[in-house]
Amino acid sequence: TRNGLYEVTLTLPQPVPLAELFSVSVLVRDGKSGAPVETATVEVDARMPQHGHGMATRPEADPGTCAPTCTHPGGKYVTSGMKFHMPGDWVVSVSVAGERGHDTVDIPVSM
């Protein structure tokens, strides 16, 4: 992430579907220790900077296992409702808010 608070690994379906809904998974680890981060809030979104727009859908994060605190075993977070509606250069933004604070990362994806 930008400030080094977390390590983020984004996994997209291969090939990435065009104009179809899909899900992504994000593995989040502590940027210092490398330990899985299991109790953060992770938001994923995407945009096409060259076109000045984002997706036509609103991705939804799986809340994880909640009893009473929501956890994500192994630091794996899933977001569904992603849809790249046109080919080109996309940027997937991942926002992590956890015990170490809030940090983000932008990941380029070409279709």
Side-chain angles (χ1 to χ4, degrees):
T1 54
R2 287 185 183 140
N3 298 314
L5 299 180
Y6 307 101
E7 291 178 16
V8 170
T9 303
L10 174 70
T11 302
L12 298 159
Q14 294 298 319
V16 177
L18 180 62
E20 295 179 22
L21 292 173
F22 63 93
S23 297
V24 298
S25 66
V26 177
L27 182 63
V28 181
R29 295 191 175 279
D30 183 279
K32 192 171 187 176
S33 71
V37 176
E38 299 182 334
T39 58
T41 299
V42 174
E43 295 179 0
V44 180
D45 203 356
R47 64 190 185 289
M48 292 189 89
Q50 293 176 338
H51 292 263
H53 64 74
M55 295 185 297
T57 60
R58 289 187 171 264
E60 293 187 23
D62 181 325
T65 303
C66 302
T69 303
C70 295
T71 61
H72 298 267
K76 183 179 178 182
Y77 297 77
V78 176
T79 297
S80 60
M82 302 284 291
K83 185 177 183 180
F84 295 162
H85 60 276
M86 62 187 292
D89 294 327
W90 289 83
V91 174
V92 177
S93 298
V94 180
S95 172
V96 181
E99 289 183 16
R100 291 182 44 95
H102 180 263
D103 211 348
T104 62
V105 64
D106 289 334
I107 303 166
V109 176
S110 292
M111 303 240 347

